[in-house]
Amino acid sequence: QVTLLEFGGGSVQAGGSLRLSCAASGRTFSTLAVGWFRQAPGNEREFVASISWSGDTTYYTDSVKGRFTISRDHGENTVYLQMNSLKPEDTAVYYCGTNIFTTAQRMYGGEKADVWGRGTQVTVSS
C-alpha cells in the first residue's frame, strides 16, 4: 500500500519558480513509476511529467518541456517537480500519482494513476 502527499505549491509571479515534492509511504514506492498531473478549474486532469522507477527515464508534456524537471530521491522516498519560468497557464492543482501496473511511458501515453495524493495548488499571476 502506497500513500502520497504533495507539498510545495504556492503563488508566484510569471517567470518565477516552485519545487513540488511528492512524499510517499510504503516500501514499494521505489519500484514504481510516478507521474505529476494537473487540473485547472473546468478542465480534466492532464499529464505533466513522469519518471521511471529507476529515475533514468522521464517524459514531459510539450507545454512544460525545457521549463519543468521531474526527479526522484529513493533515499527520501520522494519525487520532485522543479518548475521554472512559470506561466499563468500553469495555474492548477498539481497531483502526483502512481499505479503498480503502469510505466512512465504509459502515463505519458495517457494511462492514469490509481493512487493519488490530495494535490497542491499552484497559482501563477501575470
Side-chain angles (χ1 to χ4, degrees):
Q1 186 77 13
V2 174
T3 58
L4 305 175
L5 180 64
E6 306 93 337
F7 53 97
S11 297
V12 297
Q13 291 191 326
S17 298
L18 286 172
R19 188 175 80 156
L20 305 184
S21 300
C22 173
S25 64
R27 60 182 180 177
T28 63
F29 184 69
S30 63
T31 67
L32 302 176
V34 177
W36 281 99
F37 300 77
R38 64 187 180 188
Q39 187 167 17
N43 291 353
E44 292 186 354
R45 193 169 298 186
E46 65 175 4
F47 171 86
V48 176
S50 59
I51 189 166
S52 63
W53 70 269
S54 66
D56 291 342
T57 305
T58 58
Y59 297 88
Y60 300 91
T61 192
D62 285 347
S63 63
V64 308
K65 283 181 181 176
R67 300 189 297 122
F68 291 12
T69 303
I70 188 171
S71 62
R72 68 190 304 164
D73 184 329
H74 285 299
E76 296 292 327
N77 243 19
T78 301
V79 171
Y80 302 98
L81 186 67
Q82 177 67 44
M83 305 186 297
N84 298 328
S85 302
L86 282 161
K87 303 176 181 179
E89 51 263 45
D90 294 318
T91 295
V93 178
Y94 283 71
Y95 300 88
C96 63
T98 190
N99 180 331
I100 64 171
F101 298 112
T102 197
T103 66
Q105 185 175 26
R106 288 177 186 170
M107 282 190 275
Y108 171 68
E111 192 164 304
K112 299 298 184 185
D114 63 4
V115 176
W116 297 97
R118 65 182 182 184
T120 185
Q121 176 71 46
V122 172
T123 303
V124 185
S125 58
S126 57

